[in-house]
Amino acid sequence: MHKQIDTDLQNTTTLNPTLFRRLLLLAIFCFSTIWAVDSNSAMIATFDAHAYPLCIAAFVFVYLLSLLSKMSQERLFLFTYFIVASYLLSSSIWHHAGEGGLYSNAAQWLGLNYVIAYLFLEVRRAATITIIVFVFTVLGHYLALIQHHNVSDSISVVMNIAVAQFAYIVLLWTVVKLRIKALQVVEKVNILEDLAYIDLVTRILNRRGIENIFQKLQLDENHDQSNYAILLIDIDHFKQVNDQHGHLVGDAVLTSVAAKLRRIIHNTDVIGRWGGEEFLVLTLDRTTEQTLALAEKIRAEIESFELPPCSGVTVSIGIAFSSQASSTTEVFTVADKNLYVAKNSGRNNVLHSFPTLKKSSASDKPSAL
């Protein structure tokens, strides 16, 4: 699990399309502003005079592609990174190629190549590309400097550039690794939290998980607008199953019944193991007739279900509707009372209290199907 999480995190980028387009607009603004300022001050270099408008046009093109085309985000990110890295690297090399190249400060911007790589690209690809860019940076600047300066001076400048770039890479990789570890911790916490809501025998929600769903659905807060029913399902004579066949067989019966219930209910319904041999099904937005039909289907299919070495496994079901009480606790109480009556009325049956237009108490007279 740890290796899978690590792989998933290293193969993803957190840059979403909206943020990506905003960064493109920022790049267009920055390049346009610098171009305008340098042009008005007559300080613009020949290289930049041609490079600025080309970069701006390229950014606009990528922005339009992100809106109009079906090109993958990964390719758009890579294309954008190529634009930025090409400009920064070629600009620095060009400025170092002149006779005053030893004193050029153009290399100060090269660190952005590594920052943007880890911003735009997934981690593994960014790591590979930063190594390639680093090699091109060192070789490119050395070849540019050696044209007008001796080997010693050229190597001295290149070593300064190389050490600075290497520091950028190491620091960025450290930050990325720390981020990955932090995300791994969060992911593990989420997994453990999910496991805390799952019954380990039946692999469905446990009591805590059901209560969590109740809270998320805000059934009590919106009770007057809610339309739901609670079905409490109890396996008849389950103690005899454990006594006669052992707890492993008992667990197998619980697992089989849970699996059967999952196949019967609708995907909008909620199912969980309430405790022991008792299950709870929460149905949402069903009519009374649909809920009663579901309960009878559950009872009938469990009765006909073959669960060797056990035979004749049946369930009793108590039902309550949201229109019968003012809270989920009260609705549950109605369902629990109906289940009690069902268990003491021969078992293998379904009991309910028909909902009325007005809220009624949990003492509604149960009716059997």
Side-chain angles (χ1 to χ4, degrees), residues 200-203 249-260 279 307:
L200 298 181
V201 175
T202 59
R203 310 305 301 173
V249 173
D251 287 349
V253 170
L254 290 171
T255 302
S256 298
V257 170
K260 188 69 173 177
F279 298 88
L307 295 171

Side-chain angles (χ1 to χ4, degrees), residues 28 35 64 79 92 145 149 161 231 234 275 306 317 339 352:
I28 293 170
W35 184 25
L64 294 176
F79 185 30
S92 181
L145 288 165
H149 307 282
I161 294 174
L231 284 68
D234 189 271
E306 294 293 333
I317 304 175
L339 175 62
H352 61 86

